[in-house]
Each structure stands twice: as structure tokens, then as C-alpha cells.
Amino acid sequence: MKYVGIAEELRGRIARGELPPGARVPSTRRLAADHGVAMATAAKALALLSQEGLVRAEPRSGTVVASRERRGGQRGLTRDRIVRTAIDIADAEGLGALSMRGVAARLGVAAMAPYKYVRGKDELVLLMADAAFGERGYPAKPSGDWRERLTLGGRTLWSLFRRHPWLAQLGPITRPLPLRSLATHGEWALSALAELDVDAATLCDLHVLFFGHVQGMAVHLEREQSALASSGLTEDDWMDHQGPAVAAMAAGHPTFAKMLAELTETGYDLVLDDIFESGMRALLDGLALRFGR
């Protein structure tokens, strides 16, 4: 497995001090070129080192050598520290890079030490989600009408998914997570929707529709993050590579082709934040029309 050899070489450079803590590690593209492998293979090498806690992803800086903090072994280790460290890993590298061993390595403790506080990865992910959803709340005394309150609820959830892209990947909307902090967001949205004076079944359906819009857009946040890490291509780079294939796909479909031609001429950036806001307005407009509000 070529990625194991690449990881071993980088591991040696880190051990010898050639790549000190904080130093930038060669990018996926650079590793692929230097070793004559696909970028996906190079990405797997970096992912392996990340799981070992040797490197970490830094926003706008790329992958850097992690500082192996040593705080007297297991002394000072708490459940909260484990959860916050796991969140940091998932935020930077995605939920797929998270492991109990990687968390232990990042904390500088024995591999089995976190198990004294958390039974395993499944429980850890639930604790992470509860902590993440609990980072933002709502005014003790709600103000505004149902639409204003629902807009605040949607934007609050979106900001949390933005901060923690892995949150949207945790499970289908048909199987809600039993989290206290998530119930806080649910209560805020339900109390706003209840002003539409609907029965319990309709109220539940509307809440699923509302949350589904936010989560449905948010699932693409980590997918893009993962695609960037595995391919080394930005959104613009990917579109440049796919341009001829997309043009060929549009052949014979006049509306599609016309749209592409206009976008090519005028320029276009797909901004998820803007689409989220547009979808939220359309959803609330629809509810207002349906229920006469």
C-alpha cells in the first residue's frame, strides 16, 4: 500500500525534527507529484497521520505538524477535554478522521485512557453533537411573530452546521438524535410553528420540513470539505476540469445549454449560504400562503 510508505516517510521527518510542530506538511498535490501516485492515495497518507495525531488541518494554512502536548500523562484528563478535542478533529478533518486512538494521541495520553470517560466512538459522537448543538441558544423571552422566530431558528442552526460541518452527517431526519441541546432548537421552532394553529401531526410534519431544509443544505458542507481533501481540487478547479463533460451533458437539452452559456458569460458562484436563505424565504412564504398568515 503506497500510502503507508508515504506516511512512514513523513513520520520519520517529523520524528527527526525536519518537520517541527506547526510546520506545514507537503500538500496532497505535492505528495502525489513527488511519489507518482493519485491524489486520493496521498490524501490517505495524510489521513493516517491525522488519525495518529501527528498532523492536523489548519483553516487557510493546510495540514501542519501537531504539537504533542504532554500534561503529566492522564492527569487532568476529563470527559469535556476529550469531547472538545474530538470536536476539533472533526471540524478540521471530518468525522471519518475521528477515532478514539487519534483523540488520545492528540491529548498526549495512552490509547486506552479516554475509555475511562467514554465507552467508545458512538458515545463520543453523541457527546460531541450535544456539545455542538448547545453552543448557541435563544432569547429567554421570544419576540416577533412566528416567521421572525422561525427565521432566527433556521439561521441559528445553519450557523452551527457551518461551524461543525460533520453535524449534518450524523443520521437521517427520520431518526432524530436524543440530545437535550437539540431539543432546545426543536422547542424554539415548534413554538413558532404552533402559531399557525395546526394539529399535532401537521405541526410535526412542518417541523420536519423546516429542519430538513437546514440539514439538507448543510450535508453538502462536509462533502465539499471531504472532496477537497481527497482530490486536492477547489470548487473552481473541479468545474474547470469538468467543463467539457458538463457541456457535452447539456447537448440536446436547450434550457440547460442556454443556462450554461449565460453563466459562462456572466460568471457564477454557487454560494450555499445564499441558497439556504433563498430556500428559507420560499419555505416561509409557502407556509404563510397555505395557512393564511
Side-chain angles (χ1 to χ4, degrees):
M1 293 181 289
K2 292 184 178 181
Y3 77 92
V4 175
I6 297 173
E8 181 62 30
E9 178 186 325
L10 291 173
R11 198 181 291 115
R13 293 178 63 187
I14 293 171
R16 293 190 299 271
E18 296 175 14
L19 291 172
R24 187 170 181 177
V25 177
S27 66
T28 302
R29 188 184 296 276
R30 176 66 180 274
L31 289 173
D34 289 349
H35 293 271
V37 298
M39 285 195 287
T41 301
K44 288 176 69 175
L46 293 180
L48 179 60
L49 295 179
S50 174
Q51 291 173 3
E52 296 173 0
L54 291 176
V55 301
R56 69 175 188 275
E58 285 284 347
R60 296 179 296 278
S61 298
T63 303
V64 301
V65 178
S67 58
R68 302 286 297 276
E69 63 170 347
R70 302 287 179 181
R71 301 188 182 184
Q74 299 175 22
R75 192 166 34 179
L77 189 63
T78 64
R79 174 181 279 194
D80 183 63
R81 279 189 64 205
I82 292 169
V83 170
R84 296 315 309 182
T85 299
I87 289 175
D88 289 343
I89 292 173
D91 285 350
E93 303 162 42
L95 207 58
L98 181 68
S99 68
M100 295 292 284
R101 182 177 294 275
V103 172
R106 179 72 65 89
L107 288 167
V109 299
M112 298 304 293
Y115 287 96
K116 293 183 178 181
Y117 303 88
V118 182
R119 287 192 295 270
K121 182 177 176 179
D122 289 345
E123 182 184 20
L124 177 58
V125 171
L126 285 178
L127 292 170
M128 292 163 58
D130 200 30
F133 277 120
E135 289 177 356
R136 293 199 62 185
Y138 302 95
K141 293 184 178 181
S143 61
D145 62 12
W146 67 272
R147 181 170 184 140
E148 291 173 301
R149 300 207 305 277
L150 209 56
T151 298
L152 174 60
R155 288 174 176 169
T156 299
L157 283 169
W158 180 252
S159 71
L160 292 174
F161 285 129
R162 260 293 189 195
R163 185 183 301 172
H164 308 294
W166 50 271
L167 269 179
Q169 312 292 328
L170 296 185
I173 200 169
T174 52
R175 303 188 182 194
L177 299 174
L179 306 175
R180 288 181 177 272
S181 59
L182 187 55
T184 299
H185 298 283
E187 176 62 24
W188 180 267
L190 286 168
S191 65
L193 288 166
E195 288 194 9
L196 298 176
D197 195 23
V198 295
D199 58 48
T202 303
L203 181 62
C204 184
D205 287 348
L206 293 179
H207 181 240
V208 171
L209 178 64
F210 161 76
F211 190 83
H213 167 63
V214 186
Q215 184 188 37
M217 291 300 303
V219 295
H220 301 288
L221 297 172
E222 183 167 87
R223 289 178 183 177
E224 171 57 31
Q225 197 175 58
S226 177
L228 175 60
S230 62
S231 69
L233 299 175
T234 66
E235 293 176 61
D236 290 340
D237 291 337
W238 186 87
M239 286 302 299
D240 289 342
H241 280 71
Q242 295 295 324
V246 173
M249 182 177 67
H253 302 285
T255 306
F256 192 2
K258 180 181 178 182
M259 180 190 73
L260 287 179
E262 290 184 9
L263 293 180
T264 300
E265 182 178 346
T266 62
Y268 174 72
D269 290 322
L270 193 157
V271 182
L272 289 179
D273 296 290
D274 295 343
I275 297 176
F276 162 74
E277 287 286 344
S278 178
M280 177 71 75
R281 287 193 299 272
L283 174 60
L284 299 183
D285 287 344
L287 292 180
L289 286 172
R290 177 179 174 184
F291 296 102
R293 296 301 180 99

